[in-house]
Every structure is written in C-alpha cells, then in structure tokens.
Amino acid sequence: MAIEKFPEGQQGGALDRVDGRQKVTGAAKYSADHIIPGLTYGVLVESTIAKGYIKNIDTKKAERAPGVLAVIYHGNAPKIPGYQTGGNPAKPPTGGEPFRVFQNAQIYFAGQPIAIVIADTYERAIYAVTLVKTEYNKDEHRTNVEANKDKAALPKGPRYADYVRGEADAYQNAAIKIEAEYTIPVEVHNPMELHATTAFWDGEDKVTVYDKTQGVKSTQRSIMDAFKLKEQNVQVHTDFVGGGFGSGLRTWPHVIAAVLAAKKINKPVKLVLTRPQMFTMVGYRPYSWQKIGLGATADGKLTALTHEAISETSTYEEFTDRTVDISKVMYACPNVNTRYKIIALDKSTPTWMRGPGEATGAFALECAMDELSYALQLDPLELRIRNHADVDPVRNLPWSSKYLKECYQKGAEAIGWSKRNPKPNSMREGEWQLGYGMGAGNFNANRGRATVKAILLADGSLVLQSAVSDSGPGTATTMTGIATETFGLPPNKITVELGDSSLPPGPTQGGSTTTSTLGSAVHDVCVALQQKMAELVTTKEGSVLKDVKPEDLVFAKGFIVLKTDASKRVAYPDVLKQWNLSKLEVTKDSQAGDERNKYSIYSFAVHFVQVLVHPVTGVVRIKKVVTVADAGKIINRKTAGSQLMGGVVSGTGMALMEDAVFDHRFGHCINNNLADYHVPVSADVPHIEALFIDKPDPVINPIGSKGLGEIANVGFAAAVANAVYHATGKRIRALPITPDKLLV
Ligand code: MOS
C-alpha cells in the first residue's frame, strides 16, 4: 500500500516550533521565572581586585539592613563536603583545581564571587551588597595575553602536544609563501537570558534546582558531587533556555552558591546574575594570538602549513580548545605542523563558545588562505578546490560523507561569485567600496549517548522523554519531526518532554550533537515501540493481524497496516484496547558503534559575503550572506535554517563588533554591559540565504543527520575579513574589524 504523507505543515521536515506559542506569549517559564512560596533573593558580592586574598570582610552593616536574612562568605559558609575530598562541582574540562566558592580567602580574578547577600526582596539584597566592606591584601596580577606570551606553556593533556605531519615549518622554504599573525579578543557569550538558579531544600539531603543550564544531568551530577547527595535527591529543571552559546555547558560557582545559601537559611533562594557578572562568572571565548605560515607551488598546491596559537586560561584551571585542529584536517597538504600553548592568567576560566576552537582557528586559517590566493594571483575559491582533502589527512580514513565541493558551488552561484572583479578595491556601489569574500570550515560531527522513554497512551498519542535541555535550536520540534516520520503519528499527537533530570538520561546540549544523539535515540525508541506493538497485534486472538509476520506490517498515520491488504489494519490505540492496557512504554538507550574507527565524520560549511565599506567613515555593512552547510540530512528546514542564520549573526558579532575590553592595570573588563559590548542587532543583520546540501550521512547514525550548530559560525569571520580586504585592499588581522582599524 502506498503510505500517504501527512499534509504540508504536519510533516516532520517543516514543522513550526512546537513551543513557539509558549515562547511568544510569555507562557514559557525560564529558570528565573519560577515563583516558589517563601522565595528569597540572593545577590553576589564581587572581588574588586584581581589577585590576592581577603584580609577582612565586614558584613555587619549589611546583615542589619532591612529584609536581609544572611550574608554568607568564607568566614561563615558551611563547608561543601564534595570540595574537601576533591569532588569537583564545576568540573574543569582538562584538569586543574576548581574554584571553591566561599571556601577560602583567596582571590583569583576580578569579579570573583566572595559573598552572597540574601534578603526578602531583590532590591533589598542589591542594596545590602553595597554595605559589605572588604579589605584585601593585593598581589600583582597578570591579565594580558600579549604582555605575557613568554609565559605560554603546553597544556597538560596529551592531545595538545605539537603535531607534525611531514616536515615542520616547511612553508619557510616554499616557492610561494605567506606568514601572518591574527588576534581575536575575549568575546563573551551574552545570551539574552541571564544565568539564574533557584534552589530549595527538602530536609538535609534533598534539593530541587531550577537552573539555566545546557545539561540538566551534568548540573545534577555537579550538585550531587559537591553536596554528597544521591542522584534521586537532586532534581534539576530547565524548562526553557534563553540562549546559551556555551555559557551553560558547565556548572559554575554561582549555582553551588545558590544551593549552599538555600541550605544555610533553609529557604528557597533565587540567584540571578547581573549583566556585568555575565562577563566574569560564566566563561568567555579566550583571547587568542595565532600565526599561520602557508607554502604553495606556483600553481596553487599547498605544500606546507604551520599553525601556532597562544591562548589563555585561569590560574586555577586549565581550559583548552581545538584552535589549531582545523588546520590538520581542512586541506590536503603533505607538511603540516601545529603548536598550541596557553597562559595562566588572573582571570576566571574561559569556556567553549559558539564553535569553540574551530571558529577561532578558522579565522586565522581562512584569512591566511585568502592572503595566499592573492600571493598566487589565484581565485580564493579555486585555491580551496585545488586543495580539497579527499580523505581525512590526519587519520588517512575516508569521510563518512563530504559535500564541501557542492557547498562551494552552490554558495558561489547564490552570491554571484563570477561577478567579482578579483582586484582589491575595484568594485563600488555608490560611494561605498564593495567586496566579496569567502571562508569555509568544518566541525567534528559527533554522536553521544541518550536514553529515551516512549509512552503510547490510550488515546493513541505518544510521549517521549529525555533529560536534555533545549538551549534554543528547537530540540522538542526536531524530535517531534523525527517521531512523526518514524512512528507515523501526526505532530499534534506527539509530546516531547525535556529539561528534567529525573527523566531518562540525555546528553548536555553542546558541540552540535543533540540531533545526532537524541534524534537517533528517538528514532530507535520509536522503532522499538513499533516492534512491541507488532508483537502484541500479531499474537492477540481475534486481532485482524493475528499471525501476520511483523515484517509484513507498516506503520502509517496511526495505523498498523498489512502491506498486502490495506483493509487489514489496527489503529494504535486499539492495540492497547486489545490487551486492556492503559499505556505501553518502551525505554531505549542509544549510542554510536565503531563507525568512528573506520570513517572520519565531519560537518562542513562555506560562507560567502558581500560587504560595503565606507571609505570616509570606515563603517562596514554586510550586504548579503550566503551560507551553505553539509550537515547531513536536514531534519527540520525551518529550525535548521534558523540555526544557520543564528551562526551568521554570531559570526557578524565576532567579525565586526564583539570585544571584551580589559583594563589590565586593574584586571577588570570595562565594557561589561550591552551598551558598550556590542552584539549585532536586527539592523546589523543583512539578507541571509541559509542553504543546505541535505544529503543523509550513511554512517553517523540511523537518521543521517550530522551536527549543525557550530559550523554555522566556523569560517564566517574570515569571510567578512576577506571581503573587507577585497573591498578596500586593507588586511585586518585583529578582530573585530572596527572603523578605526580601516581608517589608519
Ligand atoms: Mo556549544 S559552544 O557546545 O554550546
């Protein structure tokens, strides 16, 4: 029988956001929106120095202020049991000692939380914070990467050892060579929603937390470890997240502070970070210095590539990312070497942000490729095609799928690349200089582990549950789409429940893995549930499908149907009725197999931009963007399109605006607000064409979908910088590309 499709709008591939109405009407509850009886308000007191220790902290005046319930600091804070034994609440990614909130007098960074004031209203808490007086013993601090490059050292992890393929630094002897240095300042995630935690205890050993996090299970684990609690006694809820971009990937000290405060005063405590605190307490993209050396033959074949980077971490943890890794795999090149070092500075620990590592590295690599193209007098797109990596050059393994050449072609057509006059500063639009630029990127397409419970209810509707928090891409929507297509129910009969740590374990939402990981688990659990239903319907006396072989059945539009005779069918709810069941449940754990040993699995993207540069004011306007992604099968073209556009917006900020400025005399970030730290607003965002190859990857997972979130941002800033060079003949190697840099 021909299986009819659901009508347009109800197909899995083009669903509107299932939670869109809740979001736009304000019905969606974010982590700071939960009002609990007896709620109190915590506000953090911050260190005003960058290094040293607290000599004295006078909390008396604050404690006597109206409405104040407690002031907690290292002198009176209960010991956090998990800290004593090395338990690690804010688990650092690659080792080091975590920052232990309120456990000692040490100051590691300016803006460090040193106390929490709890009052009956937020305003009273904010006021009382001003009454806390702190005296310090100050030490000399260091916060400047450029001034401390001599102190850069190899990270401890083995994967950061210098990499050499062929001969190191071979570009120095190449026929055509370029060598250039690039810098990216500190950038801050700045999701619209502030980080917020509301915690309340039930007795001595049970706590419930509403937290803004990208991983309810990892936050649960952090609190369990810190307070030595059992899993079932820590509940973490994250119903909605107003953007994360990586800031919610870890459990930060303020979360532990809120849980600690709620325990000490035995009342629910809500702690919402201020916008300035968002610049120091929840991570940032570390400052980076990079140097690229490229060597090529006169006909544009890469012979050598050297990529060096120096980045920063805190003194108490070692944060690293994959800044130089993209240079190992992006192009076919016989001689490649990388060096990656970090400097420990008196700042808070950086973290993953919007295409971490690859977005940083691709800025340098893809600008350098552009510079090489001019040295060769070769079209920059043609240079990339000539050096396409047909296999993974590091592991010498085939790609699971790679449509980067198709991305190049599709993007070039859509932007009108053939109309580009290759000569810099040659094109005009009115009084503006017009430039075309491009940049490409890749990102490891991973698949993690997830468990999903599927519940078929008596009314024939399906509930899917997993402890994943959706930081914005529309996870419930894509999962609904996958279930629609796999299970054969219309979307309005499917409910996806997420964001609750007591649901079956799911991954942290990060690294572009949710659709691949959770989507595969949804697929697998739907298939398992169908198998169970097939078993029931073919073994029940009196069922029209009794004794039919399961492989002769299809599942479509809420019916189990005999392939050869469509009149023989059983509606989903009737399976339950046949067996007198109120519901049917299947739980399925799903994870990758050994395919990664045989294939290299990556997503790819290319960005083409047109920019306009004003020759008198130096203002850069992005006129048009075409971004093309090879992210495997596109599960939902609306949410995927939005994600690609979001990456372009984020890349626009990186290219033209974002710059967390530090006054190194004091170690403070001085533009720690959204008036002075610029992010793109609607008027900065041009027409964006978000295009997909949309071909399933045959290897990565049963749904064929690779990662998308990060590649949307990898290579974009380079495309803008390259377009600015084409427009003006000025090569800006230090982000962001602000007018002052173009006017010198
Ligand atoms: Mo992403 S930087 O893994 O939230």
Side-chain angles (χ1 to χ4, degrees), residues 111-146:
Q112 173 182 319
I114 56 171
I116 182 168
V117 174
I118 304 135
D120 57 355
T121 70
Y122 178 66
E123 291 74 14
R124 284 171 150 180
I126 283 264
Y127 170 65
V129 162
T130 66
L131 304 175
V132 175
K133 296 293 170 230
T134 312
E135 287 171 67
Y136 302 94
N137 269 337
K138 234 196 253 186
D139 285 337
E140 292 255 321
H141 64 263
R142 297 195 302 242
T143 54
N144 189 341
V145 170
E146 290 296 334

mmCIF file of all heavy atoms in Angstrom, residues 111-146:
data_model
loop_
_atom_site.group_PDB
_atom_site.id
_atom_site.type_symbol
_atom_site.label_atom_id
_atom_site.label_comp_id
_atom_site.label_asym_id
_atom_site.label_seq_id
_atom_site.Cartn_x
_atom_site.Cartn_y
_atom_site.Cartn_z
ATOM 1 N N GLY A 111 36.009 40.386 40.024
ATOM 2 C CA GLY A 111 34.623 39.977 39.796
ATOM 3 C C GLY A 111 34.314 38.618 40.382
ATOM 4 O O GLY A 111 33.219 38.084 40.189
ATOM 5 N N GLN A 112 35.258 38.055 41.102
ATOM 6 C CA GLN A 112 35.029 36.747 41.735
ATOM 7 C C GLN A 112 33.945 36.870 42.810
ATOM 8 O O GLN A 112 33.955 37.817 43.585
ATOM 9 C CB GLN A 112 36.355 36.302 42.364
ATOM 10 C CG GLN A 112 36.251 35.054 43.205
ATOM 11 C CD GLN A 112 37.600 34.700 43.831
ATOM 12 O OE1 GLN A 112 38.640 34.816 43.169
ATOM 13 N NE2 GLN A 112 37.598 34.297 45.078
ATOM 14 N N PRO A 113 33.009 35.924 42.878
ATOM 15 C CA PRO A 113 32.032 35.974 43.964
ATOM 16 C C PRO A 113 32.727 35.694 45.299
ATOM 17 O O PRO A 113 33.378 34.661 45.457
ATOM 18 C CB PRO A 113 31.036 34.862 43.609
ATOM 19 C CG PRO A 113 31.731 33.984 42.625
ATOM 20 C CD PRO A 113 32.776 34.810 41.947
ATOM 21 N N ILE A 114 32.610 36.648 46.240
ATOM 22 C CA ILE A 114 33.250 36.465 47.554
ATOM 23 C C ILE A 114 32.215 36.344 48.674
ATOM 24 O O ILE A 114 32.559 35.953 49.781
ATOM 25 C CB ILE A 114 34.251 37.598 47.870
ATOM 26 C CG1 ILE A 114 33.565 38.974 47.796
ATOM 27 C CG2 ILE A 114 35.440 37.540 46.924
ATOM 28 C CD1 ILE A 114 34.442 40.114 48.313
ATOM 29 N N ALA A 115 30.983 36.714 48.390
ATOM 30 C CA ALA A 115 29.927 36.585 49.405
ATOM 31 C C ALA A 115 28.585 36.614 48.698
ATOM 32 O O ALA A 115 28.484 37.029 47.540
ATOM 33 C CB ALA A 115 30.010 37.733 50.410
ATOM 34 N N ILE A 116 27.580 36.132 49.402
ATOM 35 C CA ILE A 116 26.219 36.252 48.871
ATOM 36 C C ILE A 116 25.342 36.875 49.958
ATOM 37 O O ILE A 116 25.396 36.471 51.120
ATOM 38 C CB ILE A 116 25.661 34.896 48.383
ATOM 39 C CG1 ILE A 116 24.255 35.066 47.789
ATOM 40 C CG2 ILE A 116 25.660 33.836 49.475
ATOM 41 C CD1 ILE A 116 23.749 33.840 47.029
ATOM 42 N N VAL A 117 24.591 37.887 49.568
ATOM 43 C CA VAL A 117 23.636 38.525 50.470
ATOM 44 C C VAL A 117 22.253 37.998 50.116
ATOM 45 O O VAL A 117 21.868 37.996 48.942
ATOM 46 C CB VAL A 117 23.665 40.061 50.311
ATOM 47 C CG1 VAL A 117 22.561 40.703 51.157
ATOM 48 C CG2 VAL A 117 25.028 40.607 50.698
ATOM 49 N N ILE A 118 21.513 37.547 51.122
ATOM 50 C CA ILE A 118 20.169 37.031 50.870
ATOM 51 C C ILE A 118 19.174 37.902 51.626
ATOM 52 O O ILE A 118 19.338 38.159 52.824
ATOM 53 C CB ILE A 118 20.041 35.568 51.337
ATOM 54 C CG1 ILE A 118 21.113 34.725 50.641
ATOM 55 C CG2 ILE A 118 18.667 35.005 51.004
ATOM 56 C CD1 ILE A 118 21.811 33.809 51.579
ATOM 57 N N ALA A 119 18.162 38.356 50.900
ATOM 58 C CA ALA A 119 17.153 39.225 51.519
ATOM 59 C C ALA A 119 15.768 38.800 51.043
ATOM 60 O O ALA A 119 15.628 37.954 50.147
ATOM 61 C CB ALA A 119 17.418 40.683 51.168
ATOM 62 N N ASP A 120 14.761 39.427 51.633
ATOM 63 C CA ASP A 120 13.385 39.047 51.280
ATOM 64 C C ASP A 120 12.937 39.645 49.950
ATOM 65 O O ASP A 120 11.932 39.208 49.391
ATOM 66 C CB ASP A 120 12.409 39.407 52.408
ATOM 67 C CG ASP A 120 12.444 40.885 52.761
ATOM 68 O OD1 ASP A 120 13.293 41.614 52.205
ATOM 69 O OD2 ASP A 120 11.618 41.309 53.590
ATOM 70 N N THR A 121 13.632 40.667 49.484
ATOM 71 C CA THR A 121 13.366 41.143 48.123
ATOM 72 C C THR A 121 14.705 41.315 47.400
ATOM 73 O O THR A 121 15.759 41.480 48.042
ATOM 74 C CB THR A 121 12.636 42.509 48.076
ATOM 75 O OG1 THR A 121 13.539 43.525 48.516
ATOM 76 C CG2 THR A 121 11.365 42.509 48.932
ATOM 77 N N TYR A 122 14.618 41.345 46.084
ATOM 78 C CA TYR A 122 15.825 41.526 45.275
ATOM 79 C C TYR A 122 16.438 42.901 45.545
ATOM 80 O O TYR A 122 17.646 43.042 45.719
ATOM 81 C CB TYR A 122 15.444 41.374 43.796
ATOM 82 C CG TYR A 122 16.582 41.595 42.839
ATOM 83 C CD1 TYR A 122 17.659 40.719 42.811
ATOM 84 C CD2 TYR A 122 16.578 42.674 41.953
ATOM 85 C CE1 TYR A 122 18.714 40.915 41.936
ATOM 86 C CE2 TYR A 122 17.619 42.872 41.072
ATOM 87 C CZ TYR A 122 18.689 41.998 41.062
ATOM 88 O OH TYR A 122 19.722 42.194 40.200
ATOM 89 N N GLU A 123 15.575 43.921 45.640
ATOM 90 C CA GLU A 123 16.067 45.282 45.821
ATOM 91 C C GLU A 123 16.812 45.421 47.147
ATOM 92 O O GLU A 123 17.837 46.095 47.229
ATOM 93 C CB GLU A 123 14.893 46.278 45.766
ATOM 94 C CG GLU A 123 14.254 46.428 44.388
ATOM 95 C CD GLU A 123 13.385 45.237 43.965
ATOM 96 O OE1 GLU A 123 13.045 44.389 44.824
ATOM 97 O OE2 GLU A 123 13.057 45.149 42.768
ATOM 98 N N ARG A 124 16.279 44.811 48.177
ATOM 99 C CA ARG A 124 16.932 44.903 49.482
ATOM 100 C C ARG A 124 18.276 44.165 49.475
ATOM 101 O O ARG A 124 19.227 44.605 50.124
ATOM 102 C CB ARG A 124 16.008 44.335 50.558
ATOM 103 C CG ARG A 124 14.897 45.313 50.891
ATOM 104 C CD ARG A 124 13.856 44.688 51.788
ATOM 105 N NE ARG A 124 13.239 45.688 52.647
ATOM 106 C CZ ARG A 124 12.292 45.408 53.545
ATOM 107 N NH1 ARG A 124 11.862 44.173 53.690
ATOM 108 N NH2 ARG A 124 11.784 46.362 54.299
ATOM 109 N N ALA A 125 18.324 43.077 48.738
ATOM 110 C CA ALA A 125 19.598 42.342 48.639
ATOM 111 C C ALA A 125 20.628 43.171 47.881
ATOM 112 O O ALA A 125 21.787 43.287 48.296
ATOM 113 C CB ALA A 125 19.373 40.996 47.956
ATOM 114 N N ILE A 126 20.207 43.761 46.780
ATOM 115 C CA ILE A 126 21.104 44.607 45.973
ATOM 116 C C ILE A 126 21.648 45.758 46.826
ATOM 117 O O ILE A 126 22.831 46.078 46.783
ATOM 118 C CB ILE A 126 20.329 45.195 44.747
ATOM 119 C CG1 ILE A 126 20.148 44.143 43.674
ATOM 120 C CG2 ILE A 126 20.994 46.436 44.205
ATOM 121 C CD1 ILE A 126 21.182 44.181 42.583
ATOM 122 N N TYR A 127 20.767 46.376 47.605
ATOM 123 C CA TYR A 127 21.202 47.492 48.451
ATOM 124 C C TYR A 127 22.208 47.000 49.495
ATOM 125 O O TYR A 127 23.261 47.608 49.697
ATOM 126 C CB TYR A 127 19.993 48.154 49.123
ATOM 127 C CG TYR A 127 20.407 49.150 50.181
ATOM 128 C CD1 TYR A 127 21.112 50.313 49.831
ATOM 129 C CD2 TYR A 127 20.138 48.923 51.526
ATOM 130 C CE1 TYR A 127 21.525 51.211 50.795
ATOM 131 C CE2 TYR A 127 20.560 49.815 52.501
ATOM 132 C CZ TYR A 127 21.253 50.962 52.128
ATOM 133 O OH TYR A 127 21.679 51.849 53.089
ATOM 134 N N ALA A 128 21.887 45.900 50.141
ATOM 135 C CA ALA A 128 22.759 45.416 51.217
ATOM 136 C C ALA A 128 24.148 45.038 50.712
ATOM 137 O O ALA A 128 25.130 45.149 51.457
ATOM 138 C CB ALA A 128 22.103 44.230 51.920
ATOM 139 N N VAL A 129 24.223 44.630 49.458
ATOM 140 C CA VAL A 129 25.535 44.314 48.872
ATOM 141 C C VAL A 129 26.459 45.528 48.976
ATOM 142 O O VAL A 129 27.660 45.405 49.237
ATOM 143 C CB VAL A 129 25.378 43.854 47.400
ATOM 144 C CG1 VAL A 129 26.695 43.947 46.643
ATOM 145 C CG2 VAL A 129 24.849 42.426 47.351
ATOM 146 N N THR A 130 25.902 46.725 48.832
ATOM 147 C CA THR A 130 26.736 47.941 48.863
ATOM 148 C C THR A 130 27.273 48.203 50.270
ATOM 149 O O THR A 130 28.170 49.024 50.444
ATOM 150 C CB THR A 130 25.932 49.177 48.387
ATOM 151 O OG1 THR A 130 24.878 49.444 49.345
ATOM 152 C CG2 THR A 130 25.335 48.964 47.011
ATOM 153 N N LEU A 131 26.715 47.543 51.269
ATOM 154 C CA LEU A 131 27.129 47.788 52.653
ATOM 155 C C LEU A 131 28.230 46.825 53.116
ATOM 156 O O LEU A 131 28.769 46.970 54.202
ATOM 157 C CB LEU A 131 25.919 47.658 53.594
ATOM 158 C CG LEU A 131 24.724 48.565 53.259
ATOM 159 C CD1 LEU A 131 23.554 48.262 54.181
ATOM 160 C CD2 LEU A 131 25.117 50.036 53.361
ATOM 161 N N VAL A 132 28.527 45.839 52.282
ATOM 162 C CA VAL A 132 29.595 44.890 52.633
ATOM 163 C C VAL A 132 30.935 45.568 52.337
ATOM 164 O O VAL A 132 31.157 46.046 51.226
ATOM 165 C CB VAL A 132 29.463 43.575 51.826
ATOM 166 C CG1 VAL A 132 30.639 42.645 52.116
ATOM 167 C CG2 VAL A 132 28.138 42.897 52.135
ATOM 168 N N LYS A 133 31.783 45.628 53.334
ATOM 169 C CA LYS A 133 33.086 46.283 53.145
ATOM 170 C C LYS A 133 34.205 45.242 53.224
ATOM 171 O O LYS A 133 34.286 44.484 54.187
ATOM 172 C CB LYS A 133 33.313 47.359 54.217
ATOM 173 C CG LYS A 133 32.324 48.517 54.136
ATOM 174 C CD LYS A 133 32.511 49.355 52.860
ATOM 175 C CE LYS A 133 31.352 50.334 52.698
ATOM 176 N NZ LYS A 133 30.724 50.317 51.367
ATOM 177 N N THR A 134 35.050 45.250 52.204
ATOM 178 C CA THR A 134 36.097 44.232 52.137
ATOM 179 C C THR A 134 37.471 44.886 52.084
ATOM 180 O O THR A 134 37.665 45.862 51.351
ATOM 181 C CB THR A 134 35.901 43.357 50.882
ATOM 182 O OG1 THR A 134 34.544 42.951 50.832
ATOM 183 C CG2 THR A 134 36.795 42.140 50.902
ATOM 184 N N GLU A 135 38.389 44.355 52.868
ATOM 185 C CA GLU A 135 39.796 44.782 52.764
ATOM 186 C C GLU A 135 40.604 43.619 52.199
ATOM 187 O O GLU A 135 40.385 42.470 52.579
ATOM 188 C CB GLU A 135 40.359 45.121 54.146
ATOM 189 C CG GLU A 135 39.847 46.409 54.741
ATOM 190 C CD GLU A 135 40.313 46.499 56.193
ATOM 191 O OE1 GLU A 135 41.529 46.630 56.412
ATOM 192 O OE2 GLU A 135 39.450 46.387 57.076
ATOM 193 N N TYR A 136 41.530 43.962 51.337
ATOM 194 C CA TYR A 136 42.305 42.912 50.667
ATOM 195 C C TYR A 136 43.788 43.070 50.935
ATOM 196 O O TYR A 136 44.269 44.181 51.186
ATOM 197 C CB TYR A 136 42.120 43.013 49.144
ATOM 198 C CG TYR A 136 40.704 42.910 48.650
ATOM 199 C CD1 TYR A 136 39.941 44.057 48.431
ATOM 200 C CD2 TYR A 136 40.140 41.672 48.359
ATOM 201 C CE1 TYR A 136 38.644 43.980 47.946
ATOM 202 C CE2 TYR A 136 38.847 41.589 47.876
ATOM 203 C CZ TYR A 136 38.103 42.747 47.669
ATOM 204 O OH TYR A 136 36.835 42.657 47.182
ATOM 205 N N ASN A 137 44.501 41.991 50.806
ATOM 206 C CA ASN A 137 45.949 42.055 50.589
ATOM 207 C C ASN A 137 46.158 41.775 49.114
ATOM 208 O O ASN A 137 45.877 40.676 48.630
ATOM 209 C CB ASN A 137 46.677 40.999 51.414
ATOM 210 C CG ASN A 137 47.065 41.547 52.764
ATOM 211 O OD1 ASN A 137 47.194 42.760 52.940
ATOM 212 N ND2 ASN A 137 47.226 40.657 53.722
ATOM 213 N N LYS A 138 46.640 42.774 48.424
ATOM 214 C CA LYS A 138 46.699 42.687 46.967
ATOM 215 C C LYS A 138 48.032 42.128 46.496
ATOM 216 O O LYS A 138 49.080 42.511 47.022
ATOM 217 C CB LYS A 138 46.566 44.111 46.426
ATOM 218 C CG LYS A 138 45.461 44.285 45.407
ATOM 219 C CD LYS A 138 45.641 45.574 44.664
ATOM 220 C CE LYS A 138 44.629 46.623 45.090
ATOM 221 N NZ LYS A 138 44.684 47.834 44.284
ATOM 222 N N ASP A 139 47.991 41.259 45.508
ATOM 223 C CA ASP A 139 49.214 40.810 44.835
ATOM 224 C C ASP A 139 49.227 41.364 43.417
ATOM 225 O O ASP A 139 48.195 41.753 42.896
ATOM 226 C CB ASP A 139 49.245 39.267 44.748
ATOM 227 C CG ASP A 139 49.567 38.633 46.076
ATOM 228 O OD1 ASP A 139 50.170 39.322 46.920
ATOM 229 O OD2 ASP A 139 49.188 37.459 46.267
ATOM 230 N N GLU A 140 50.390 41.355 42.819
ATOM 231 C CA GLU A 140 50.494 41.743 41.402
ATOM 232 C C GLU A 140 49.717 40.749 40.548
ATOM 233 O O GLU A 140 49.846 39.539 40.743
ATOM 234 C CB GLU A 140 51.953 41.673 40.952
ATOM 235 C CG GLU A 140 52.854 42.682 41.577
ATOM 236 C CD GLU A 140 53.186 43.797 40.603
ATOM 237 O OE1 GLU A 140 53.395 43.508 39.411
ATOM 238 O OE2 GLU A 140 53.207 44.959 41.058
ATOM 239 N N HIS A 141 48.953 41.263 39.619
ATOM 240 C CA HIS A 141 48.179 40.350 38.775
ATOM 241 C C HIS A 141 48.630 40.469 37.318
ATOM 242 O O HIS A 141 49.267 41.454 36.928
ATOM 243 C CB HIS A 141 46.685 40.669 38.886
ATOM 244 C CG HIS A 141 46.349 42.031 38.358
ATOM 245 N ND1 HIS A 141 46.224 43.121 39.174
ATOM 246 C CD2 HIS A 141 46.134 42.476 37.091
ATOM 247 C CE1 HIS A 141 45.945 44.185 38.435
ATOM 248 N NE2 HIS A 141 45.890 43.819 37.166
ATOM 249 N N ARG A 142 48.251 39.450 36.553
ATOM 250 C CA ARG A 142 48.504 39.447 35.103
ATOM 251 C C ARG A 142 47.220 39.064 34.395
ATOM 252 O O ARG A 142 46.643 38.011 34.688
ATOM 253 C CB ARG A 142 49.573 38.407 34.748
ATOM 254 C CG ARG A 142 50.928 38.654 35.334
ATOM 255 C CD ARG A 142 51.959 37.786 34.629
ATOM 256 N NE ARG A 142 51.622 36.377 34.739
ATOM 257 C CZ ARG A 142 52.384 35.476 35.346
ATOM 258 N NH1 ARG A 142 53.542 35.833 35.872
ATOM 259 N NH2 ARG A 142 52.025 34.220 35.400
ATOM 260 N N THR A 143 46.779 39.899 33.473
ATOM 261 C CA THR A 143 45.567 39.561 32.725
ATOM 262 C C THR A 143 45.760 39.710 31.218
ATOM 263 O O THR A 143 44.827 39.499 30.451
ATOM 264 C CB THR A 143 44.387 40.472 33.160
ATOM 265 O OG1 THR A 143 44.781 41.835 33.046
ATOM 266 C CG2 THR A 143 43.968 40.179 34.591
ATOM 267 N N ASN A 144 46.971 40.066 30.800
ATOM 268 C CA ASN A 144 47.200 40.444 29.407
ATOM 269 C C ASN A 144 47.967 39.341 28.663
ATOM 270 O O ASN A 144 49.124 39.066 28.986
ATOM 271 C CB ASN A 144 48.002 41.750 29.403
ATOM 272 C CG ASN A 144 48.120 42.347 28.017
ATOM 273 O OD1 ASN A 144 47.920 41.660 27.017
ATOM 274 N ND2 ASN A 144 48.448 43.621 27.956
ATOM 275 N N VAL A 145 47.336 38.739 27.687
ATOM 276 C CA VAL A 145 48.000 37.679 26.921
ATOM 277 C C VAL A 145 49.219 38.232 26.188
ATOM 278 O O VAL A 145 50.320 37.671 26.263
ATOM 279 C CB VAL A 145 47.023 37.024 25.916
ATOM 280 C CG1 VAL A 145 47.776 36.101 24.953
ATOM 281 C CG2 VAL A 145 45.937 36.251 26.646
ATOM 282 N N GLU A 146 49.035 39.338 25.489
ATOM 283 C CA GLU A 146 50.129 39.864 24.646
ATOM 284 C C GLU A 146 51.377 40.177 25.474
ATOM 285 O O GLU A 146 52.493 39.968 25.017
ATOM 286 C CB GLU A 146 49.662 41.109 23.881
ATOM 287 C CG GLU A 146 48.642 40.826 22.780
ATOM 288 C CD GLU A 146 49.185 39.945 21.640
ATOM 289 O OE1 GLU A 146 50.409 39.926 21.404
ATOM 290 O OE2 GLU A 146 48.363 39.263 20.998
#
